[in-house]
Amino acid sequence: MEVTAAPRPVERPRADTPPAITHGAIVLVVGPDAGDPGERACVVVQADLFNETHATITVCPLTTIVGGEALFRVAISPQEHTGLPVECEVQVDRITSIRRHRIVKVIGHASATRMEQVDQALRRWLAL
């Protein structure tokens, strides 16, 4: 006689469970700017060590206005599986920390190469 384990229920995230946030995740954020009620794409720049437990998440907003500020802006293409509909730039000069409940969802992820460029731009911007 074969013994089989009882089927385990499929675990689904609860509606109030925040999405998994990792370094390089591209997220939609509600009102990242003061007085802005809309949603905006941002890239998570905070170290993974703090992402699950800290009350805030450090992000850089994205803009569709690509201006070529290569020292502190990093271009991200929609062809990179980012979830972005158009080419954007990471606004390293607008780094901010937001309460995690303002993150609506994860829409994509920046590549390791792209995040290294973002990290380098952050080091330049913050003189680290």
Side-chain angles (χ1 to χ4, degrees):
M1 178 157 126
E2 241 179 87
V3 177
T4 59
R8 298 176 76 179
V10 176
E11 291 185 27
R12 299 182 197 281
R14 293 180 13 201
D16 61 345
T17 302
I21 306 298
T22 58
H23 182 259
I26 298 175
V27 296
L28 281 183
V29 175
V30 174
D33 299 318
D36 180 8
E39 295 178 351
R40 182 171 192 163
C42 296
V43 65
V44 175
V45 295
Q46 182 169 299
D48 286 340
L49 177 64
F50 308 107
N51 287 344
E52 287 187 31
T53 57
H54 203 273
T56 60
I57 301 292
T58 303
V59 299
C60 289
L62 301 177
T63 182
T64 57
I65 301 170
V66 179
E69 301 289 348
L71 287 177
F72 53 88
R73 298 273 174 106
V74 178
I76 294 187
S77 169
Q79 286 82 24
E80 297 177 30
H81 305 290
T82 58
L84 299 169
V86 296
E87 181 147 347
C88 293
E89 281 185 348
V90 180
Q91 295 178 300
V92 170
D93 53 315
R94 297 195 53 214
I95 186 172
T96 188
S97 293
I98 58 166
R99 293 271 178 203
R100 79 173 43 250
H101 74 271
R102 291 178 49 201
I103 296 175
V104 176
K105 66 181 175 178
V106 176
I107 61 169
H109 206 280
S111 69
T113 301
R114 195 65 62 217
M115 284 312 296
E116 180 56 35
Q117 293 172 336
V118 170
D119 292 343
Q120 288 174 2
L122 281 165
R123 285 191 287 276
R124 275 191 299 277
W125 185 255
L126 299 172
L128 299 176

